[in-house]
Amino acid sequence: MLERPLVYLIDGANSEKLDMSIEREILGDTAHIEPLLISGRDEFPDQVFDASAVILTPYPLFTAPVLNRFKKLRAVVRMGVGFDNVDIDAARALGIPVCNVPDYGTEEVADQALTLSLALVRKLQPALNTVRGGVWSWRPAAPVRRIRGQRFGIVGCGRIGTAAALRAKAFGFAVQFYDPYLARGYEKAIGAERCETLEALLSTSDVVSLHCPLSDETRGIIGAEQMQRMKPGAFLVNTARGPLITELDLLAVLRTGHLGGVALDVIENEPVHSPELLTFPNVLVTPHISFYSEESLIDLRASAARIALRSLRVESLVNIVN
């Protein structure tokens, strides 16, 4: 009897252990799947290199030296949208496809982006603090501007950016986006305005919401210069990837009072961040929860397992990023 291929689902040692029921149901008798919790991002026990497929969370770091140690790896499946923790060029050189799961949390992240944006625009935090402080008055939240007509600027109008655009339009925002990789005419399809440059979007938006992937091109795309280009009192929201914003620059700009507020679901070196970040009354920080709903977690795990299964069956793969 032939030995079943081995699949590992790899995460950090501090993560909650998955019950693996979804993955085992999908893989069935085709493969043997086990969770593997590691302490160091690029530190793996020897047995992992016997795997025929691996499913990764954002924690494991698959560098070129790590990839070179595998003997029969057919696919790396990144359980999520981003894949910056995998050296996709090294994997391509080795003939190893890298796949992601780009569609599992589209609604959730877009919902969170609008939730945070509305909380900033409607001054929810000052209002809550006022009541908790024993004062019943609307004045500590002032000034608040009517949403209708304010410009909602989206950086990166892919799946999630588009979903955020449609939600923002429903609230009355005038939506505009910057995305040099979208085909001409996409703005007409979604009823939004295209900005030809990032600078044009930043200087005219009342809310700037980031929805681009992390790459060499986008790392630090929002630094001190870009934030200073934003309208005085504008709001900045990031539910995409933390390193899109340079934290030291963000702190410097926050000290000037130039921005009306900032909402972050992701930070540059999460979970580590400057304690000063939370001292600003106009800053909201949530612990990378945008992707989450009970339904999205099921979608994520099931989609990743199905891609791994297709690789083991030597079937055509979906969502290959390299």
Side-chain angles (χ1 to χ4, degrees):
M1 182 176 180
L2 293 176
E3 186 176 349
R4 287 188 296 169
L6 183 61
V7 178
Y8 280 109
L9 195 163
I10 309 175
D11 200 356
N14 294 328
S15 302
E16 295 182 8
K17 187 175 181 179
L18 297 174
D19 62 15
M20 305 300 293
S21 59
I22 294 173
E23 291 80 5
R24 289 193 174 113
E25 180 180 354
I26 290 172
L27 289 169
D29 294 332
T30 301
H32 180 71
I33 184 166
E34 287 293 337
L36 176 63
L37 303 181
I38 58 174
S39 298
R41 295 194 68 192
D42 58 354
E43 298 173 5
F44 303 94
D46 289 340
Q47 67 262 29
V48 75
F49 300 107
D50 290 324
S52 296
V54 290
I55 301 173
L56 308 180
T57 67
Y59 182 76
L61 193 60
F62 265 45
T63 60
V66 170
L67 288 162
N68 270 288
R69 293 187 63 186
F70 282 92
K71 306 175 180 68
K72 48 189 175 183
L73 191 61
R74 299 182 187 177
V76 174
V77 184
R78 170 61 169 81
M79 195 165 62
V81 180
F83 45 86
D84 46 286
N85 57 321
V86 181
D87 188 332
I88 61 173
D89 294 327
R92 180 174 60 244
L94 293 166
I96 302 171
V98 178
C99 305
N100 69 342
V101 183
D103 53 353
Y104 79 98
T106 298
E107 298 158 280
E108 285 77 9
V109 178
D111 289 345
Q112 184 80 355
L114 263 295
T115 298
L116 294 173
S117 298
L118 293 171
L120 289 174
V121 173
R122 293 296 305 169
K123 303 290 181 67
L124 186 61
Q125 186 77 354
L128 291 171
N129 290 340
T130 297
V131 175
R132 287 171 177 164
V135 178
W136 191 268
S137 172
W138 56 268
R139 295 187 183 279
V144 171
R145 291 176 52 214
R146 177 177 290 160
I147 289 175
R148 187 173 70 249
Q150 290 195 53
R151 288 186 172 270
F152 192 94
I154 295 171
V155 181
C157 204
R159 298 176 184 86
I160 297 173
T162 298
L166 298 177
R167 285 157 171 76
K169 287 177 63 179
F171 277 96
F173 283 106
V175 176
Q176 57 187 19
F177 69 86
Y178 168 70
D179 192 326
Y181 297 100
L182 281 180
R184 307 303 299 185
Y186 187 76
E187 61 276 14
K188 297 180 180 180
I190 65 170
E193 183 179 338
R194 179 191 290 266
C195 293
E196 297 298 338
T197 64
L198 176 61
E199 291 72 21
L201 180 134
L202 294 175
S203 64
T204 57
S205 295
D206 299 286
V207 179
V208 174
S209 188
L210 306 183
H211 296 283
C212 48
L214 180 64
S215 66
D216 291 340
E217 181 182 8
T218 61
R219 185 179 297 273
I221 192 173
I222 304 296
E225 179 183 349
Q226 289 73 31
M227 284 180 270
Q228 291 291 353
R229 284 180 178 271
M230 293 173 63
K231 296 171 64 174
F235 303 105
L236 177 62
V237 179
N238 188 9
T239 56
R241 305 294 282 176
L244 298 177
I245 299 176
T246 304
E247 186 173 307
L248 287 176
D249 289 352
L250 174 61
L251 291 170
V253 173
L254 284 169
R255 294 184 198 113
T256 70
H258 177 70
L259 296 178
V262 175
L264 308 172
D265 185 57
V266 289
I267 52 182
E268 186 174 12
N269 297 302
E270 64 182 61
V272 179
H273 58 83
S274 169
E276 183 185 1
L277 190 62
L278 300 182
T279 66
F280 296 97
N282 59 343
V283 171
L284 304 176
V285 180
T286 52
H288 202 149
I289 64 172
S290 293
F291 73 94
Y292 169 70
S293 72
E294 288 298 303
E295 293 83 358
S296 71
L297 281 183
I298 293 172
D299 290 346
L300 172 62
R301 292 173 57 187
S303 295
R306 291 190 188 103
I307 294 172
L309 178 63
R310 293 178 71 89
S311 74
L312 299 175
R313 290 177 171 173
V314 200
E315 298 174 351
S316 60
L317 297 180
V318 296
N319 304 331
I320 298 177
V321 298
N322 66 335

